[in-house]
Amino acid sequence: MTMTILDQPLDKLNIAVFDIETTGLLPDRDHILQIALVHIKNGQLTGIQREWKVNPGDQITIPGEVLRLTGLNEPELRVAPPLAEVFPQFHRAVGNAVVAGHNVKYFDLPFIRAAKRQRASDTPRYYIDTLLLARRLRPAQPNHRLATCAREYGLSFDPGALHDALEDTLLCAQLLLHQIKEMRDKGIITFGDLINYLNQGWIPQRN
């Protein structure tokens, strides 16, 4: 019988964790300024990490509060390549991996889909959202922001460095590795198990 991606153990899955920074919160109106990506394979970070700054276009105003929050530098962004040049590099870096991120379902992936020059066929099909996982695994947390989730697992990080795409991506990847371990202890072994768990479906009992 042929093994599908749903049968793949989570700790063997090829995962591309990514994060974006943008000019605002609305995918149909706002623009990507930064993309970062790291890879997880066989249950650990591979050491591969990529980061792209993106020029949103000369006619696009970059809000000052966004620059302050993210630490991005406007002169660097103005000479960065446009999204049309960055996207092919990003998709080559993702390859056939499952993508992951914190709120990736409702923020990052909608921006990817809304990018004007993005082909629908290039949109990643499979994803893991660490925010949705956190809400399911630890519903009693005061909130499920990335920093709060990281503290729940005892992860060390510099709060002042967050909202930079690469820093957020690295922290999210560490969070996901801890979540995978916690799920394994609950008998959630495969990617299919994870999907069932998030859908509150039946979870196979394993010895």
Side-chain angles (χ1 to χ4, degrees):
M1 188 169 77
T2 303
M3 178 179 287
T4 71
I5 191 169
L6 298 178
D7 301 315
Q8 288 285 336
L10 291 168
D11 58 5
K12 301 297 182 184
L13 207 59
N14 183 16
I15 305 171
V17 185
F18 82 101
D19 183 71
I20 63 174
E21 301 298 337
T22 66
T23 58
L25 302 177
L26 302 176
D28 293 328
R29 189 184 73 185
D30 293 308
H31 301 267
I32 295 173
L33 298 173
Q34 185 186 25
I35 308 176
L37 177 146
V38 300
H39 273 278
I40 292 173
K41 195 167 186 178
N42 294 324
Q44 59 185 352
L45 283 163
T46 65
I48 296 172
Q49 58 187 51
R50 298 289 307 276
E51 180 186 11
W52 301 269
K53 291 182 173 64
V54 180
N55 185 343
D58 294 340
Q59 305 304 312
I60 304 301
T61 300
I62 304 174
E65 59 267 29
V66 169
L67 294 171
R68 288 189 291 273
L69 179 67
T70 62
L72 291 169
N73 180 290
E74 183 163 7
E76 289 183 359
L77 292 172
R78 294 303 183 188
V79 297
L83 194 59
E85 292 182 22
V86 169
F87 255 137
Q89 299 174 46
F90 168 69
H91 285 291
R92 282 195 296 272
V94 170
N96 62 359
V98 172
V99 296
H102 205 70
N103 202 26
V104 71
K105 180 178 181 179
Y106 295 110
F107 185 77
D108 304 87
L109 284 177
F111 267 93
I112 296 294
R113 295 188 185 106
K116 292 180 180 179
R117 293 180 179 157
Q118 175 66 6
R119 298 192 307 273
S121 60
D122 286 335
T123 302
R125 180 179 177 187
Y126 297 106
Y127 64 87
I128 300 172
D129 193 322
T130 55
L131 172 59
L132 299 182
L133 269 178
R135 288 174 176 166
R136 185 82 167 90
L137 287 166
R138 303 199 174 187
Q141 282 181 204
N143 63 68
H144 293 89
R145 290 190 288 268
L146 179 59
T148 303
C149 293
R151 291 189 186 100
E152 278 285 311
Y153 288 95
L155 299 176
S156 298
F157 63 97
D158 177 5
L162 296 184
H163 299 292
D164 169 82
L166 185 56
E167 292 293 333
D168 286 4
T169 300
L170 288 166
L171 186 59
C172 181
Q174 294 177 63
L175 170 63
L176 177 56
L177 290 172
H178 280 74
Q179 290 177 325
I180 288 173
K181 181 180 184 303
E182 184 171 356
M183 285 189 289
R184 184 170 64 243
D185 293 341
K186 293 177 180 289
I188 303 162
I189 308 300
T190 68
F191 188 46
D193 291 345
L194 181 154
I195 293 172
N196 283 337
Y197 180 64
L198 286 178
N199 291 332
Q200 300 189 3
W202 175 76
I203 300 298
Q205 298 299 310
R206 294 182 170 89
N207 294 327

